[in-house]
Amino acid sequence: MSERESMPCDVVIVGGGPAGLAAAIRLKQINDALEVVVLEKGSEIGAHILSGAVVDPIALDELLPEWREQGCPMAETPVTDNWHWVLGKSGKWSMPHLLMPPFLSNDGCYTGSLGNLTRWLGEQAEALGVMVFPGFPAADVLFDESGAVAGVVTQDMGVAADGSQKPDYQPGMEIHAKYTLFAEGARGNLTKRMKAKYDLEADCQPQVYGLGVKELWDIDPEKHVPGRVIHTQGWPLSESDTWGGGFLYHQANGQVAIGFVTALDYENPYVSPFHEFQRWKHHPAIREYLEGGKRVAYGARAINEGGWQSVPKLAFPGGALIGCAAGFVNVPRIKGSHTAMKSGMLAAEAVAAAIAGGSEKTELADYDSAVRSSWIADELKKVKNAQPAVSKFGGDIGTALAGIDMWMRTLGIGLPITMKHTPDYTHTHRADLHRPIDYPKPDGEISFDRLTSVSYSYTNHAEDQPCHLKVKDMALQEASELGVYGGPSTRYCPAGVYEWVDVEEGDPKFVINSQNCVHCKTCDIKDPNQNIEWVTPEGGGGPNYPNM
């Protein structure tokens, strides 16, 4: 093995999303002399960013108060009207605004591409002197002799599938830092390791997730209402006792962002979140916007849904979790970028203060306490029982109970109850308890197949590289995932990565089409035996989302 080169810096940030870039910008605002490095696994900043998105500007206003006048693309489309529909199979009814707490109104918010906002934040960071390195995933963590995080190692490049070194082999670089901030997003591989090593989840509930599947459409200009925001619940998930909902956002340039979120605690192993999304698009209320239009992009990602009770301990010797690595999504608002950015800013302030005081590789207790006394905590505590109420009691009763709980907390009379979570994979039933779901074939105009959809994510991985989807025990996969649960990996994956072949011949083989992977990490979350682990592939691989 070639000897690794090393690079010293003050702070290394793993992940170039909104949280990581907000932290980088804040660090340089406080002390321009700090050497700050941002590592991003995507081919460019924004390449792996996917969200609805409707953005609350509160964190942007704090970080860069003049953002609206500085060419930020998110400023193009303020929200103009807001609808919440409850869908039946062919009809709908609009939930009256008076029934919903005021914070669900989206007044003062903006809708647009979170990827483009992230690209703009990357430009602001680089202008301040932040060293931003896209295409360089962090693959390992460095520790000092005391067990504190001392930096990270970037992924080796040019490794063949059999583990041998190709002619273009380059070993990863060691980035040595006084502090390391993990901003990997939901279910990051290094974040999982930090949680386990430092037992960060000892005093919180398990994190739970939803799978968000999204498309971007150019629609008929006569149907486009810039700033219109629509959320739906009910059908089609109501038919399989699953919960989640859809969104349709009228954004800039005559486009709509449409998407569907399925909570991953569903019981029926025959549920396919991708196909539920395709069904949803055929609902008359949604289809009318799409007819005559053209799909231009597709993608998927996991979303933290655990809320306040699932926020782990945030700091440990030499490092901290920020953004979706920690889990600050407000599920009823379907928003998390503002809380993610604020967490990054608070971490930056704690890091800058520690370094100014001569410290390094210490535990940033000030950061953890700052988050728990910030508006992040105030906001998430108001909605902490919404997700578990719907999960436990179902769409209708659960929504009513969640609404009552949110109203009471808004009025300052919340009950002293914090509902609990159980990991999503534990909810999956045996296949023999359910019937397979016969999903309609795609029509190629409104609904599509998975492989065609993946082509609209512009995903690319070098084929001759080690598979980044690790099956720990292939015998267990065949005996249990296929034999007991009916092979749910072939349905929960929104990119068609997993296949069971030769089953009828009695010689089943588990095929992993890793080149299709859009890095949503659903397999890492939903595999019923926790037998699949997602790790970082070679740098620059994965989706290349445009305008998502």
Side-chain angles (χ1 to χ4, degrees), residues 278-300:
Q278 303 306 313
R279 292 179 71 198
W280 174 80
K281 287 188 290 178
H282 280 281
H283 190 280
I286 306 302
R287 184 185 180 106
E288 67 171 300
Y289 283 107
L290 305 181
E291 287 181 320
K294 179 183 178 182
R295 181 178 69 160
V296 296
Y298 167 84

Side-chain angles (χ1 to χ4, degrees), residues 55 81 84 87 108 122 182 197 264 349 372 428 463 479 483 541 545:
V55 173
D81 65 350
H84 189 103
L87 302 183
F182 294 86
K197 179 176 177 63
L264 289 177
E349 291 162 8
R372 297 178 195 279
T428 309
E463 290 196 18
Y545 292 135

Side-chain angles (χ1 to χ4, degrees), residues 454-488:
V454 171
S455 72
Y456 281 82
S457 70
Y458 307 98
T459 293
N460 182 59
H461 294 89
E463 290 196 18
D464 188 18
Q465 65 169 295
C467 181
H468 65 280
L469 301 162
K470 308 294 186 182
V471 179
K472 302 172 188 175
D473 183 341
M474 194 59 77
L476 175 64
Q477 201 68 11
E478 179 181 338
S480 181
E481 199 266 347
L482 176 63
V484 176
Y485 296 100

Side-chain angles (χ1 to χ4, degrees), residues 39-45 133-137 155 157 538-541:
L39 300 176
E40 166 55 39
K41 64 184 174 68
S43 61
E44 65 170 358
I45 292 294
F133 297 129
F136 286 89
Q155 183 75 279
M157 305 286 283
E538 189 169 289

Side-chain angles (χ1 to χ4, degrees), residues 1 45 116 133 156 197 207 229 296 315 317 417 420 454 460:
M1 295 293 289
I45 292 294
N116 288 343
F133 297 129
D156 293 344
K197 179 176 177 63
Q207 186 59 259
V229 166
V296 296
I417 296 172
K420 297 182 179 181
V454 171
N460 182 59

